[in-house]
């Protein structure tokens, strides 16, 4: 009986060792998942911002195009609106740093093109 009890006692440290090995892997996995969600979210916001800017500029609201895009885009995004013959192009770029400024960021961008509405220069 004593032999069995002492064996259980020696195995109890294994759980602690397994948790100590698995916990850093789980933390890295969680950080990766949070980074992926932040980058995808910023990408979708850039797409929406570029679309809003292109639509506004195509309607002739060149001044409001940047404002609409800035309201939708991630913080610190660069917004470029250019006009071509019969069309408008909007490009929104942002750097995403989900784990802080001390780590490198991810650059996301989106481009939208819209045809000018008839009667608009």
């Amino acid at each position: 009986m004593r032999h069995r009890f002492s064996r259980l006692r020696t195995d109890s440290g294994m759980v602690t060792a397994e948790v100590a090995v698995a916990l850093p892997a789980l933390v890295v996995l969680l950080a990766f998942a949070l980074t992926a969600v932040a980058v995808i979210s910023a990408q979708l916001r850039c797409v929406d911002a570029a679309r809003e800017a292109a639509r506004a500029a195509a309607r002739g609201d060149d001044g409001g195009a940047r404002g609409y895009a800035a309201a939708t885009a991630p913080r610190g995004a660069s917004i470029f609106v250019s006009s071509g013959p019969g069309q408008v192009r909007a490009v929104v770029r942002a750097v995403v740093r989900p784990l802080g400024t001390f780590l490198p960021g991810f650059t996301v961008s989106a481009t939208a093109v819209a045809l000018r509405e008839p009667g608009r220069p």
Side-chain angles (χ1 to χ4, degrees), residues 10-19:
T10 60
D11 289 344
S12 65
M14 290 299 293
V15 173
T16 305
E18 289 170 357
V19 169

Side-chain angles (χ1 to χ4, degrees), residues 19-37 98-99 103 106:
V19 169
V21 171
L23 192 60
L26 290 175
V27 169
V28 168
L29 185 63
L30 178 65
F32 178 75
L34 291 175
T35 300
V37 167
L99 299 177
L103 293 175
F106 298 92

Side-chain angles (χ1 to χ4, degrees), residues 41-56:
S41 174
Q43 174 66 35
L44 293 175
R45 290 182 68 190
C46 284
V47 168
D48 290 341
R51 187 181 314 132
E52 289 292 327
R55 283 182 186 164

Side-chain angles (χ1 to χ4, degrees), residues 36-101:
V37 167
V39 170
I40 291 170
S41 174
Q43 174 66 35
L44 293 175
R45 290 182 68 190
C46 284
V47 168
D48 290 341
R51 187 181 314 132
E52 289 292 327
R55 283 182 186 164
R59 289 189 308 258
D61 189 9
D62 292 330
R66 286 181 183 264
Y68 295 136
T72 309
R75 185 177 15 193
S78 303
I79 302 164
F80 304 101
V81 179
S82 61
S83 298
Q87 69 180 8
V88 176
R89 173 180 288 241
V91 179
V92 178
R93 284 193 180 99
V95 177
V96 182
R97 292 184 180 4
L99 299 177
T101 57

